[in-house]
Amino acid sequence: MADEEVLKASCACKGIRSCLICENRNGKLENRINVQQPRRVFVYEPSSGLAVRAEGGLQESFRFPGVLLWENFVSEAEEQELVSAMDRDAWRDSQSGRRKQDFGPKVNFKKRRVRLGGFSGLPPCSRELVRRMGRAPLLGGFQPVEQCNLDYSPQRGSAIDPHLDDAWLWGERLVTLNLLSPTVVTMSREQPGAGDLWVLVPLPRRALLALYGEARHQWKHAVRRQDIQDRRVCVTFRELSAEFLSGGEQENLGSQLLDVALSFQGIPV
């Protein structure tokens, strides 16, 4: 996207959210996550499960549980097939320079209400992805009820702010497939009086990332603008919480949602 096309493009940023389009057009200030500097930055090492930091000849580290990284989850050919299938559907503008496609129920998180709405299931191309996930013990029994495709572009200044995913509707494991280019997921946690602590999780192209446990519930996750160097498409899958599964208060609704989701006949809502 050329500079003049950026100026003509639309965006869906609201409140404090911003992208290059609205910053150039309206003079918005660049979002905090893209400019702030934390007190300490560690890098996650998948081989050891440690967050490591080296400075001044000294190295410190700590265990960083709750991360599963599966490299080369899809092949180059599968990657191209997946992105081509997505590009045949319309992308909708989203916040912070992203575009999105949603496959999931209609949810009001503030009122804690969920209904089918126009949800017709996950897309056909995801059937094999979900089946393959089951090979990992940590993803055994993973049944996604929602899929969100996000399209990031350096020309739009795409990013996603630090956040914790909802835990009322969405379950223990958050699973993301990273396509087209590598990036870095920034995990952050506030330390009173000491500033933010960051753990950078390098995410290779075609890799699958699952967050669970402490990384899911105690650390916010984000993707900073400077970590989007080329077009990036990610596919995020979410499962239901215990409230919507067998024995839960909303078991019947959960069963209905899963039946629709796992039909794999869906189109974006």
Side-chain angles (χ1 to χ4, degrees):
M1 186 184 294
D3 291 344
E4 60 270 18
E5 292 176 316
V6 170
L7 291 173
K8 293 178 182 177
S10 61
C11 82
C13 298
K14 299 176 183 178
I16 65 170
R17 307 287 186 261
S18 72
C19 65
L20 285 178
I21 296 169
C22 57
E23 289 167 16
N24 289 331
R25 180 182 297 147
N26 304 323
K28 273 191 174 184
L29 294 176
E30 188 176 359
N31 198 282
R32 174 175 172 268
I33 184 60
N34 296 310
V35 297
Q36 72 175 138
Q37 294 297 320
R39 291 291 180 86
R40 292 191 298 164
V41 179
F42 290 75
V43 177
Y44 177 72
E45 291 186 347
S47 60
S48 65
L50 298 176
V52 179
R53 175 176 182 258
E55 185 175 317
L58 299 176
Q59 179 171 300
E60 57 179 321
S61 63
F62 61 92
R63 287 187 64 254
F64 193 72
V67 177
L68 168 66
L69 186 62
W70 184 340
E71 295 194 36
N72 296 309
F73 180 77
V74 295
S75 67
E76 292 184 21
E78 289 173 320
E79 175 186 51
Q80 292 305 314
E81 290 173 5
L82 288 167
V83 176
S84 294
M86 294 177 206
D87 285 341
R88 286 194 289 270
D89 289 323
W91 291 95
R92 293 191 295 117
D93 289 336
S94 186
Q95 302 225 54
S96 302
R98 304 185 304 276
R99 298 189 302 165
K100 68 178 180 178
Q101 296 171 341
D102 287 320
F103 302 82
K106 185 74 173 178
V107 184
N108 185 320
F109 289 103
K110 289 185 178 179
K111 296 182 179 180
R112 291 199 167 189
R113 294 177 182 170
V114 57
R115 58 186 177 85
L116 273 176
F119 183 36
S120 55
L122 304 188
C125 61
S126 294
R127 184 189 296 271
E128 169 59 20
L129 301 179
V130 173
R131 186 197 67 79
R132 191 176 301 174
M133 290 176 199
R135 297 178 187 173
L138 282 169
L139 294 178
F142 183 75
Q143 293 186 302
V145 74
E146 194 251 14
Q147 175 177 330
C148 181
N149 302 336
L150 292 176
D151 181 11
Y152 289 74
S153 162
Q155 289 80 12
R156 296 194 304 268
S158 303
I160 191 164
D161 288 353
H163 65 284
L164 290 171
D165 276 42
D166 168 80
W168 158 67
L169 177 61
W170 307 136
E172 174 66 14
R173 296 163 293 189
L174 305 176
V175 180
T176 297
L177 176 60
N178 186 56
L179 301 173
L180 294 185
S181 65
T183 191
V184 175
V185 176
T186 298
M187 311 292 294
S188 62
R189 185 159 68 179
E190 294 183 5
Q191 294 185 305
D196 284 359
L197 174 64
W198 286 9
V199 176
L200 307 182
V201 181
L203 186 54
R205 181 176 178 175
R206 297 189 301 278
L208 191 80
L209 174 69
L211 300 179
Y212 60 95
E214 187 174 323
R216 155 78 164 101
H217 297 287
Q218 298 181 26
W219 291 78
K220 294 180 179 180
H221 56 276
V223 175
R224 297 178 296 161
R225 178 181 297 176
Q226 52 265 50
D227 292 321
I228 300 297
Q229 301 299 318
D230 293 290
R231 185 187 182 195
R232 175 199 180 224
V233 170
C234 72
V235 187
T236 296
F237 299 91
R238 297 178 176 91
E239 64 183 344
L240 289 170
S241 68
E243 182 175 332
F244 295 86
L245 298 177
S246 179
E249 293 182 10
Q250 302 200 59
E251 173 185 354
N252 291 337
L253 176 56
S255 178
Q256 181 185 12
L257 294 175
L258 279 172
D259 285 346
V260 173
L262 300 180
S263 70
F264 295 101
Q265 298 176 355
I267 59 174
V269 296

